[in-house]
């Protein structure tokens, strides 16, 4: 489980009334984390208190993920774990997010301890949900444990998610004060065959540049120095269906506008799409000093045949050319990517081609996931399934190849001097500080250990790399 709210209140809350003690569990990706933070802002604005333990809560909210099987399992396990607190004083269990969007009916049926279900675009109603009472249970209904059933959950799930927040939305941020996620758009219009996200998050809708600038200005005022821009497909920012081409904002324009916000040192790009990098965007990334030269671009595969099966809309040549263009035009660019192995139809030869591509491209960061069959996607209907054991072997082989590459690239950095954003005392040892250089994104990449000195979290310090490991670095301060 990732992310839990922090405040504590002693006064017990009256059901439905302001002043309830609310505990949140936030699962899944940074986009879901932003939704949790918006819900935290809503419930706090409605006069409720945030607590940091389920046994101190009147209401428990689980913001779920349903991207792939493993995420669905974690969400269900978490809901069941939190449901037990209803026998220990918690009065209400609310389930939100992608699992709620996808399986509201099943959740209501199978876990009657749930009182309220809000879809991925309905979470702005959280305060109202806390005030509402659940519908009465059918006569004689029983819980999963055979006990007398409680009233049926109230389900509020928009068929087509359409909500996107703006800078006025109250928000209580989770995690480091100096680093924040900013969701610039939600939803996705792409047809990737293996992906269920467009059905969970709806069609793409982008925020206006002025609105995002206003949010980032406020975040800077709140001590944020690093802004992580997120969307389902960041590179398609502004290209919402129905928006006239001449009226479309672009990611390049957004970066130039954010590059002028005082107090922000680092602007980072997550979730870009390989075929959507035009010259204007590459120039903006290369030319804006506050835009870190770090690009997260999930490539998924390299074989033409596989990219066609995945409906990625481009060939392997486009991918190879993109890697070459980014490296040629952006000094010191750090590339992060992810691949899917074991997608239906993947042959041993196609996997070998992928390994050869990874070996030749020398990515700084690369992850590999085994294909997960998602009902409702095109890939779920495709023949030529790959044996899960074979898929797992391919994932292991690719990750081992990448581990060696990551190690070599880190070893080549020893002796280099660079800026490190300090996170704080390391979780490894009180004698170490932990930070990240621009090539390390929060939560997904390794860290840089500072072996000497004490500096406040959120400081940008100059450091020299002294040691390297597969995924982490060690450095001394250059005071
Ligand atoms: S671009 Fe990303 S979120 Fe959109 S359909 Fe493709 S994989 Fe899914």
């Amino acid at each position: 489980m990732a992310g839990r709210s922090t405040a504590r209140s002693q006064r017990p809350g009256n059901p439905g009334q302001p002043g309830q003690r609310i505990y949140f569990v936030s699962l899944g990706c940074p986009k879901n984390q932003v939704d949790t933070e918006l819900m935290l802002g809503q419930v706090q604005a409605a006069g409720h208190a945030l607590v940091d333990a389920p046994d101190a809560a009147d209401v428990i909210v689980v913001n779920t993920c349903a991207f792939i099987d493993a995420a669905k399992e974690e969400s269900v396990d978490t809901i069941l774990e939190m449901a037990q607190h209803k026998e220990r004083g918690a009065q209400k269990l609310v389930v939100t997010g992608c699992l709620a969007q996808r399986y509201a009916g099943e959740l209501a049926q199978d876990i009657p301890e749930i009182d309220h279900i809000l879809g991925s675009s309905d979470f702005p109603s959280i305060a109202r949900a806390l005030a509402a009472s659940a519908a009465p249970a059918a006569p004689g209904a029983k819980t999963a444990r055979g006990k007398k059933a409680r009233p049926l959950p109230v389900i509020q799930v928009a068929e087509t998610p359409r909500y996107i927040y703006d800078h006025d939305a109250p928000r209580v941020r989770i995690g480091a004060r100096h680093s924040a996620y900013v969701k610039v758009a939600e939803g996705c219009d792409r047809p990737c065959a293996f992906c269920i996200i467009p059905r969970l998050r709806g069609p793409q809708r982008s925020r206006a540049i002025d609105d995002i600038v206003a949010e980032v200005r406020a975040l800077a005022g709140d001590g944020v120095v690093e802004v992580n821009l997120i969307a389902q497909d960041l590179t398609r920012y502004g290209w919402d269906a129905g928006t006239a081409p001449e009226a479309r904002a672009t990611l390049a324009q957004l970066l130039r506008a954010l590059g002028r916000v005082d107090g922000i040192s680092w602007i980072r790009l997550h979730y870009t799409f390989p075929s959507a990098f035009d010259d204007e965007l590459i120039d903006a990334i290369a030319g804006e000093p506050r835009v870190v030269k770090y690009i997260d671009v999930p490539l998924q595969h390299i074989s033409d045949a596989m990219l066609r099966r995945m409906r990625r809309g481009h060939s392997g040549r486009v991918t190879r050319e993109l890697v070459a263009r980014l490296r040629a035009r952006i000094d010191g660019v750090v590339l992060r990517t992810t691949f899917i192995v074991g997608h239906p139809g993947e042959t041993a030869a196609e996997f070998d081609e992928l390994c050869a591509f990874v070996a030749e491209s020398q990515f700084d960061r690369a992850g590999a996931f085994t294909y997960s069959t998602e009902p409702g996607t095109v890939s779920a209907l495709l023949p030529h399934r790959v044996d899960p054991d074979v898929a797992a072997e391919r994932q292991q082989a690719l990750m081992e190849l990448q581990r060696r590459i990551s190690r070599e690239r880190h070893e080549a950095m020893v002796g280099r001097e660079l800026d490190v954003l300090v996170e704080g005392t390391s979780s490894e040892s009180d004698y170490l500080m932990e930070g990240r250089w621009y090539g390390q994104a929060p939560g997904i990449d390794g860290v840089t250990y500072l072996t000497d000195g004490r500096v406040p979290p959120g400081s940008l310090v100059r450091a020299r790399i002294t040691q390297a490991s597969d995924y982490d670095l060690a450095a001394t301060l250059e005071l």
Side-chain angles (χ1 to χ4, degrees):
M1 286 181 233
R4 299 184 177 203
S5 48
T6 54
R8 176 171 288 287
S9 143
Q10 300 315 316
R11 187 168 56 75
N14 307 330
Q17 298 312 308
Q20 296 178 79
R21 297 165 299 169
I22 321 292
Y23 175 73
F24 274 80
V25 183
S26 187
L27 302 172
C29 67
K31 287 152 272 183
N32 223 27
Q33 178 180 326
V34 171
D35 295 350
T36 299
E37 294 176 350
L38 293 167
M39 285 192 273
L40 291 169
Q42 283 246 0
V43 299
Q44 201 171 61
H48 302 294
L50 305 173
V51 296
D52 58 8
D55 51 21
D58 304 306
V59 179
I60 296 174
V61 181
V62 182
N63 192 18
T64 63
C65 175
F67 181 41
I68 54 174
D69 280 348
K72 288 186 271 183
E73 279 162 33
E74 182 187 24
S75 292
V76 170
D77 292 347
T78 307
I79 295 167
L80 291 174
E81 183 192 342
M82 290 302 121
Q84 293 173 19
H85 288 277
K86 290 196 72 181
E87 290 160 18
R88 299 184 211 138
Q91 283 137 35
K92 187 171 276 194
L93 176 60
V94 181
V95 174
T96 65
C98 289
L99 194 78
Q101 181 69 32
R102 196 169 176 189
Y103 299 112
E106 292 85 340
L107 286 170
Q109 193 60 47
D110 301 344
I111 312 179
E113 287 86 349
I114 300 172
D115 298 283
H116 222 109
I117 296 175
L118 294 173
S120 66
S121 197
D122 304 281
F123 66 84
S125 310
I126 184 79
R128 268 206 313 280
L130 298 184
S133 51
K142 292 255 178 282
T143 70
R145 288 197 196 85
K147 294 208 172 78
K148 183 174 172 303
R150 294 166 172 265
L152 289 173
V154 176
I155 298 178
Q156 186 185 337
V157 174
E159 190 167 343
T160 305
R162 296 223 180 261
Y163 175 77
I164 179 80
Y165 76 108
D166 66 21
H167 73 280
D168 284 329
R171 180 177 173 187
V172 174
R173 288 189 297 114
I174 301 173
R177 304 316 308 155
H178 53 267
S179 182
Y181 291 103
V182 172
K183 196 192 286 191
V184 301
E186 181 54 282
C188 187
D189 301 328
R190 289 192 185 274
C192 304
F194 52 83
C195 185
I196 195 71
I197 290 176
R199 290 186 55 179
L200 302 181
R201 293 278 164 167
Q204 177 172 297
R205 56 269 191 205
S206 305
R207 299 169 61 197
I209 290 183
D210 293 351
D211 175 42
I212 299 167
V213 169
E215 180 184 11
V216 171
R217 207 170 271 131
L219 288 169
D222 189 31
V224 168
V225 294
E226 177 186 42
V227 166
N228 298 280
L229 303 183
I230 57 175
Q232 304 299 347
D233 173 2
L234 195 71
T235 27
R236 210 161 168 85
Y237 168 73
W239 290 59
D240 303 355
T243 307
E246 64 282 0
R248 286 176 180 154
T250 67
L251 182 56
Q253 290 163 354
L254 175 61
L255 294 179
R256 299 227 183 260
L258 292 177
R260 293 192 290 277
V261 176
D262 292 337
I264 298 297
S265 303
W266 285 1
I267 299 164
R268 189 183 299 278
L269 281 62
H270 293 269
Y271 309 106
T272 63
F273 196 88
S275 61
F277 280 81
D278 58 18
D279 290 337
E280 187 205 8
L281 176 57
I282 294 180
D283 289 345
I285 298 169
E288 282 295 332
R290 290 179 177 160
V291 175
V292 294
K293 312 316 173 203
Y294 174 100
I295 295 175
D296 167 36
V297 55
L299 296 172
Q300 311 302 7
H301 217 283
I302 193 62
S303 135
D304 287 344
M306 180 50 76
L307 290 168
R308 262 195 308 279
R309 281 184 219 111
M310 287 179 164
R311 298 191 178 192
R312 294 288 282 174
H314 64 85
S315 66
R317 181 178 55 77
V318 168
T319 300
R320 285 189 169 85
E321 285 175 3
L322 173 69
V323 172
R325 284 166 68 213
L326 294 175
R327 289 221 163 108
R329 293 175 49 189
I330 305 174
D331 270 352
V333 72
V334 168
L335 297 180
R336 158 176 261 281
T337 191
T338 47
F339 299 104
I340 294 178
V341 294
H343 184 278
E346 187 184 53
T347 62
E350 287 166 0
F351 177 67
D352 292 346
E353 184 185 351
L354 179 59
C355 290
F357 169 65
V358 168
E360 108 205 8
S361 305
Q362 298 281 300
F363 292 104
D364 302 274
R365 326 247 170 273
F369 295 92
T370 53
Y371 168 74
S372 171
T373 305
E374 294 308 320
T377 63
V378 172
S379 297
L381 307 171
L382 290 176
H384 310 305
R385 288 296 168 86
V386 175
D387 181 305
D389 294 341
V390 172
E393 282 162 22
R394 288 176 182 173
Q395 181 195 34
Q396 224 172 355
L398 197 56
M399 289 311 293
E400 174 51 24
L401 169 60
Q402 180 57 32
R403 182 194 64 74
R404 293 198 301 272
I405 292 169
S406 176
R407 176 85 185 215
E408 283 159 22
R409 295 185 75 79
H410 273 178
E411 281 169 350
M413 292 181 68
V414 173
R416 189 170 149 190
E417 203 182 287
L418 37 74
D419 288 342
V420 171
L421 176 60
V422 178
E423 300 275 34
T425 302
S426 169
S427 52
E428 301 292 320
S429 152
D430 289 348
Y431 301 102
L432 284 177
M433 301 286 298
E434 214 167 85
R436 293 178 284 110
W437 67 290
Y438 75 78
Q440 294 169 321
I444 49 174
D445 295 331
V447 297
T448 300
Y449 296 104
L450 296 170
T451 54
D452 60 353
R454 284 243 153 241
V455 276
S459 316
L460 261 176
V461 295
R462 204 73 185 151
R464 182 178 301 281
I465 305 299
T466 54
Q467 279 178 285
S469 69
D470 295 347
Y471 304 112
D472 300 316
L473 296 164
T476 54
L477 290 178
E478 291 291 293
L479 298 174

